[in-house]
Amino acid sequence: MRTLASILIPLLLLLSGSPANAQGKAAALTSFSDSIQELSSRISPSVVQIIATGYGLESDTQQVGVSVLSRERSTGSGVIVSDEGYIMTNAHVVQGARSIRVKLNDAEKRSNSIVDGKLIGLDRQLDLAMVKVEASGLRALPFGNSADLKQGEVVLAFGSPLGMDNSVTMGIVSAVARQLSEDDPRIFIQTD
């Protein structure tokens, strides 16, 4: 299995080293693009869209002291972390949800690509939640080790921003240990 670094390093050496002919550069870029497409096709089936609905108090915009109970809907991304149907997502996506639906990206292999999910647990401070679905043949992504991550590495982000399912974007690791304040126990990986 080729890693993104094993693809990029020869490409960068070719582009920044001694002058190479235009055909060589074009071939390297085509190879890089093909590698990203191949990686995307392997990862995308493990990334899902979460649709959570529930009820909450609507803010009092006129400030007359009356709150209205209204239906709320949120969407977000999730990652299949076990072929037994466990999916990791953000806690703010499913917090307070009365119904959780999961849209699977591997829809061509299933008769119904939207399945019901059950909240297993969440951590508000880390903004992580675990959802379980009853489905078979799921493709789980293994966990990596964040200690191995280095500043400047090229990374891909997969997800469903703003309810638009199955997107991918590329960036770099800006910092491997970003802390918002000294009192905050959370340490973030910043990507741009």
Side-chain angles (χ1 to χ4, degrees):
M1 183 167 89
R2 295 173 69 187
T3 65
L4 200 50
S6 69
I7 297 165
L8 279 179
I9 291 172
L11 174 67
L12 294 175
L13 289 174
L14 174 68
L15 295 177
S16 64
S18 62
N21 64 33
Q23 274 186 319
K25 290 181 180 181
L29 287 173
T30 299
S31 175
F32 174 67
S33 179
D34 291 345
S35 297
I36 295 294
Q37 289 175 0
E38 189 269 330
L39 183 60
S40 292
S41 69
R42 282 196 340 240
I43 301 295
S44 286
S46 301
V47 180
V48 301
Q49 183 180 24
I50 307 285
I51 303 133
T53 56
Y55 296 94
L57 293 177
E58 195 172 309
S59 63
D60 185 7
T61 57
Q62 297 176 356
Q63 301 194 2
V64 293
V66 177
S67 295
V68 177
L69 188 64
S70 64
R71 187 176 174 130
E72 296 178 341
R73 182 176 188 260
S74 65
T75 61
S77 305
V79 177
I80 300 168
V81 295
S82 162
D83 57 4
E84 291 140 13
Y86 290 96
I87 297 169
M88 186 171 289
T89 188
N90 293 108
H92 71 265
V93 173
V94 295
Q95 187 173 328
R98 304 223 355 123
S99 168
I100 299 172
R101 308 275 289 160
V102 178
K103 183 176 181 185
L104 304 168
N105 279 337
D106 208 6
E108 65 274 4
K109 296 183 181 176
R110 301 184 201 313
S111 59
N112 185 4
S113 66
I114 298 179
V115 295
D116 289 324
K118 177 184 176 188
L119 181 63
I120 300 299
L122 61 84
D123 185 324
R124 286 181 185 91
Q125 186 173 12
L126 295 177
D127 194 26
L128 291 176
M130 188 69 67
V131 172
K132 172 92 168 66
V133 296
E134 297 299 327
S136 59
L138 298 175
R139 285 203 233 171
L141 286 180
F143 283 95
N145 186 345
S146 61
D148 296 336
L149 200 59
K150 294 176 182 51
Q151 185 178 30
E153 282 191 76
V154 174
V155 291
L156 298 177
F158 293 83
S160 303
L162 305 173
M164 297 178 284
D165 60 332
N166 199 16
S167 71
V168 62
T169 187
M170 184 171 68
I172 63 166
V173 175
S174 301
V176 295
R178 189 69 77 205
Q179 198 170 6
L180 297 178
S181 72
E182 290 179 14
D183 297 335
D184 194 339
R186 298 173 297 174
I187 297 174
F188 297 95
I189 298 167
Q190 179 186 349
T191 58
D192 292 317

